[in-house]
Amino acid sequence: MTATRFDWTVGEQLPPRDFGPVTTTDIVRYQGASGDMNPMHHDDVLARSAGYPEAFSVGMLSAGYLATYCTDFFGTESVRRFRTRFREIVWRGDVLTMTGTISEVRPVVGGVRITVDLQVTTQTGKCAVQGLGEFELAGRLGAGPSS
Amino acid sequence: MAVMPIERGKIREYATSTGAIQPEYLEDPRAPIPPTFLSTVIFWDQPGMALRDPAAVEALASLDIKADMTQVLSAEQEYIFHGPLPRAGDVLVTSHRFDRVEIKDGRRGGTMVFLKFAIEFRSEEGKLRAECLYTSAYTTRAAVTQS
């Protein structure tokens, strides 16, 4: 895994990272893994009958990519809170760009708790998911930065 | 209410489906869960059970909205963790909570009904380990076809 940093500062931006383009396989694999088999995400005929041009991606797949973006920076054990708001539908073929900005850093016993404003943007510039994460980089890291 | 075992293979499958490939997820028999992993609760329980609450039923009926899968959109999901992150081998006990109904005008016309409900995850000893807060949006058709 990536080295877990400890010395984040407010206003610092995480390096952006792209996921996708989203494929039918990505969608059905996520659906199988998550258990959300809502056919609107893989059945074009049904989606059209409901007024959509075609089936569309799962919000929680974008949220899962955003979570992976975070755990790659902050480690797999640090999450305390993770919120995602689904703003725009993601379609097959969309490339999803993850971005994050540290909005709060506060000391806790043995470490820091950071808040990160997160966003998933499609190649059209639209915000697909607005997120907020809180991560505790704590005790196990000791008293100073870890690299 | 259901008993949900946190399974190593499920963590590996879920992590991979969201692009997470850290060895902590893939190789550790006691793997920690990814931030959005508890969405897999639907293999064990039905979060929508909270919507059988009379207040939710009444709000949908009063707006003549049919609560079928072609009209529901997931608006928001939030995970909050208490104490150590759940990991493979843990057993969690779920319970439902209905929070409230909010009715708003859609950004693209129509009326949107937001239903806020939650699943609580407790240890077998009854200690709160995690919460998943759901916001589901039911929308009149005009709100989704004008995009």
Side-chain angles (χ1 to χ4, degrees), chain A residues 128-144:
Chain A
V129 180
Q130 193 179 20
L132 183 123
E134 290 183 23
F135 301 87
E136 216 162 89
L137 309 174
R140 68 193 172 83
L141 294 177

Side-chain angles (χ1 to χ4, degrees), chain A residues 71-120:
Chain A
T71 52
D72 277 359
F73 285 116
F74 306 123
T76 54
E77 306 262 358
S78 59
V79 66
R80 297 284 85 198
R81 182 172 174 221
F82 191 79
R83 185 186 78 200
T84 46
R85 287 183 176 151
F86 307 108
R87 315 281 304 189
E88 295 284 345
I89 286 174
V90 171
W91 305 98
R92 291 183 300 237
D94 282 354
V95 175
L96 304 175
T97 302
M98 315 286 134
T99 53
T101 305
I102 311 292
S103 61
E104 193 183 349
V105 178
R106 60 189 171 89
V108 293
V109 176
V112 292
R113 185 164 175 138
I114 59 169
T115 305
V116 192
D117 291 333
L118 296 159
Q119 195 156 308
V120 179

Side-chain angles (χ1 to χ4, degrees), chain B residues 20-98:
Chain B
I21 54 168
Q22 294 100 315
E24 290 93 327
Y25 291 138
L26 304 189
E27 307 299 339
D28 184 354
R30 292 277 282 148
I33 63 167
T36 60
F37 175 83
L38 292 175
S39 58
T40 64
V41 69
I42 49 187
F43 284 104
W44 303 95
D45 199 354
Q46 297 173 290
M49 290 280 282
L51 300 182
R52 294 189 184 176
D53 185 284
V57 172
E58 190 185 326
L60 292 174
S62 70
L63 290 158
D64 197 25
I65 291 174
K66 213 171 47 163
D68 69 21
M69 279 195 291
T70 64
Q71 291 195 31
V72 65
L73 290 173
S74 182
E76 183 176 315
Q77 276 200 34
E78 177 171 0
Y79 295 89
I80 299 170
F81 299 99
H82 306 277
L85 200 60
R87 53 203 318 123
D90 288 354
V91 174
L92 301 178
V93 180
T94 65
S95 56
H96 303 113
R97 195 177 81 211
F98 179 74

Side-chain angles (χ1 to χ4, degrees), chain A residues 7-79:
Chain A
D7 56 343
W8 299 93
T9 54
V10 172
E12 191 173 348
Q13 294 183 346
L14 305 179
R17 178 175 169 189
D18 287 352
F19 286 77
V22 177
T23 66
T24 302
T25 303
D26 296 330
I27 294 168
V28 296
R29 183 168 61 170
Y30 181 78
Q31 289 204 271
S34 72
D36 169 11
M37 292 311 297
N38 185 339
M40 295 294 284
H41 301 303
H42 54 256
D43 185 337
D44 284 335
V45 174
L46 179 74
R48 287 183 191 123
S49 76
Y52 295 89
E54 61 181 24
F56 49 91
S57 185
V58 189
M60 286 305 293
L61 174 57
S62 303
Y65 288 149
L66 196 60
T68 295
Y69 175 65
C70 289
T71 52
D72 277 359
F73 285 116
F74 306 123
T76 54
E77 306 262 358
S78 59
V79 66

